[in-house]
Amino acid sequence: MASAIISGVKNSSIGENFDIIGSEISEEVANNASQRLGINVLADNKELVKGKGIVFIATKPNSVVEVLEGIKSVLSPETLVVSIAAGVSTEKISKIIPNNRVIRIMPNTPALVKLGMFGVCKGANATDEDLELIEGMLSSIGKCITVEESQIDIVTAISGSGPAFFYQVIEDIARAGEKLGLDYEKSLTLAAQTALGSAQMVFNRGETTVQTLIDNVATKGGCTFVGICEMKDGHSDELFFNVIDKTTQKAHALGK
């Protein structure tokens, strides 16, 4: 995920405004990351954070405490700390680095193609200016919404994990086409482009509801209507509720 954000920002219109440096767990991993991303990557977290204006914590959730404990002695109180770790609250982070402002974000991998989706919330010490700065950065590689921290695990389920869910739906539709006799790659192109276009139609809908968009395609008695009825008979609403609910619960548990 860190690689997606780095690549997205570097290749965006605001990339030249940021001097991006990373840190990895070993010299070998750091060198590989440096070559892949085109930035300087260290193997020393303390050296990385010295004198920096913004520090992103982009570790797995169970490593956040260890990483923060390792850098807190050299972390400037003026540094804005941004965490992308699922399930780890700003309160938990602030207990370790109480003098720093903390922003928490939930990104997703389509940031790699500048179509990322980010949920952002601020910790107790963070300012509106901090929030605006991070939103401005992230908006250069996708869309950004501000939520209450109590809602961030839902964001994790919908957009953080969501790409995998949509990939699965696209794959299932493509495989259905293949089973019915269409070449898989052609079927996959049909499914993926239709998903892309449908998403854009949702963004362009104005005052039109999503249900109206559905009804405009699924005229009663037509072939689309039959497909929608099959989805309803299969309780697709319950399926996706359960998917998001279970994922939200898991995101919440990660920070424990």
Side-chain angles (χ1 to χ4, degrees):
M1 195 61 254
S3 295
I5 295 175
I6 290 168
S7 298
V9 171
K10 275 186 81 250
N11 296 316
S12 74
S13 59
I14 65 167
E16 62 185 18
N17 298 333
F18 296 95
D19 181 17
I20 303 174
I21 303 174
S23 179
E24 269 291 0
I25 58 174
S26 70
E27 290 284 354
E28 181 181 359
V29 176
N31 288 336
N32 290 337
S34 179
Q35 293 176 12
R36 186 177 74 254
L37 298 171
I39 64 170
N40 186 22
V41 181
L42 311 176
D44 186 333
N45 286 342
K46 286 186 176 181
E47 189 63 31
L48 173 75
V49 304
K50 288 179 181 177
K52 300 303 185 294
I54 307 172
V55 169
F56 276 73
I57 306 298
T59 68
K60 292 187 180 298
N62 59 5
S63 299
V64 170
V65 171
E66 179 184 356
V67 169
L68 290 174
E69 290 287 357
I71 64 174
K72 67 179 183 181
S73 63
V74 295
L75 192 63
S76 167
E78 300 303 314
T79 300
L80 174 63
V81 176
V82 182
S83 172
I84 72 170
V88 183
S89 69
T90 58
E91 181 181 8
K92 186 172 185 176
I93 293 171
S94 292
K95 284 181 179 179
I96 303 171
I97 49 170
N99 297 320
N100 290 89
R101 290 124 49 226
V102 179
I103 294 283
R104 184 176 166 192
I105 68 172
M106 177 42 58
N108 69 6
T109 52
L112 280 167
V113 292
K114 298 182 184 178
L115 288 172
M117 184 67 240
F118 304 91
V120 184
C121 64
K122 62 179 183 177
N125 297 330
T127 66
D128 290 340
E129 288 74 20
D130 293 330
L131 200 62
E132 290 175 9
L133 173 64
I134 298 304
E135 286 179 333
M137 177 191 297
L138 299 177
S139 294
S140 70
I141 51 176
K143 294 184 182 293
C144 192
I145 62 167
T146 302
V147 296
E148 297 297 323
E149 187 161 12
S150 61
Q151 302 170 318
I152 201 74
D153 291 333
I154 308 173
V155 174
T156 300
I158 295 175
S159 61
S161 300
F165 305 151
F166 282 104
Y167 299 151
Q168 187 65 62
V169 170
I170 289 169
E171 171 73 350
D172 288 347
I173 291 174
R175 291 298 181 187
E178 182 185 34
K179 286 181 180 179
L180 291 170
L182 190 62
D183 174 78
Y184 170 73
E185 288 298 330
K186 290 180 179 179
S187 189
L188 184 62
T189 298
L190 288 169
Q193 180 63 25
T194 300
L196 183 64
S198 300
Q200 192 59 57
M201 289 284 287
V202 171
F203 281 124
N204 292 350
R205 76 187 190 281
E207 298 299 317
T208 303
T209 66
V210 174
Q211 184 59 54
T212 298
L213 292 179
I214 294 170
D215 294 341
N216 287 344
V217 183
T219 52
K220 194 168 184 178
C223 58
T224 309
F225 183 77
V226 170
I228 288 291
C229 288
E230 188 68 21
M231 292 180 72
K232 290 185 180 297
D233 289 344
H235 304 288
S236 62
D237 57 339
E238 293 181 16
L239 168 64
F240 284 110
F241 175 82
N242 290 335
V243 167
I244 300 304
D245 183 36
K246 294 291 186 182
T247 309
T248 299
Q249 291 179 41
K250 180 63 175 180
H252 185 69
L254 287 175
K256 299 301 183 183

